[in-house]
Amino acid sequence: KNQSNLIHLDLSDNLLHGKTPNWIWKLKNLLHLNLSTNSLVDMGRPFLSSTSNLILLDLHSNQFQGVIPILPPSATYLDYSRSNFSSVIPNNIGD
């Protein structure tokens, strides 16, 4: 939480539940984030706008719901599989 220079964070398979902690989105140097295989239901706020350097985002096997979040422009890998999003995949997801 207090490691402001952190660039890789892997909290996968850690029995996390509820909302993604807001401090994660405040890590300005974060490049790789893996929160897969938990029981997260909400991305929390602020979301990806503050982590604009993020290139890898792995959120698979959670219980996220609602609208699929917009990616930061720098993202090259994304895994939202095995979630409960209710929206369609945005047309610009590959741009």
Side-chain angles (χ1 to χ4, degrees):
K1 177 177 177 174
N2 296 319
Q3 299 298 320
S4 61
N5 292 322
L6 197 64
I7 58 173
H8 297 274
L9 179 59
D10 186 340
L11 295 174
S12 61
D13 202 16
N14 268 291
L15 304 174
L16 300 176
H17 63 280
K19 186 190 305 188
T20 304
N22 284 340
W23 61 263
I24 288 177
W25 309 124
K26 294 177 183 174
L27 297 172
K28 302 291 185 200
N29 296 317
L30 195 61
L31 299 176
H32 297 185
L33 176 61
N34 186 344
L35 296 174
S36 65
T37 318
N38 283 294
S39 295
L40 297 167
V41 296
D42 188 340
M43 297 284 187
R45 296 288 180 257
F47 185 48
L48 297 175
S49 60
S50 61
T51 52
S52 60
N53 294 325
L54 201 60
I55 58 173
L56 181 143
L57 179 60
D58 190 346
L59 300 173
H60 82 273
S61 299
N62 276 287
Q63 298 172 9
F64 291 116
Q65 303 173 22
V67 178
I68 296 173
I70 297 171
L71 294 171
S74 58
T76 59
Y77 177 87
L78 167 69
D79 190 345
Y80 285 156
S81 64
R82 297 188 186 144
S83 289
N84 295 317
F85 290 114
S86 60
S87 64
V88 296
I89 297 172
N91 289 335
N92 65 346
I93 201 161
D95 294 347

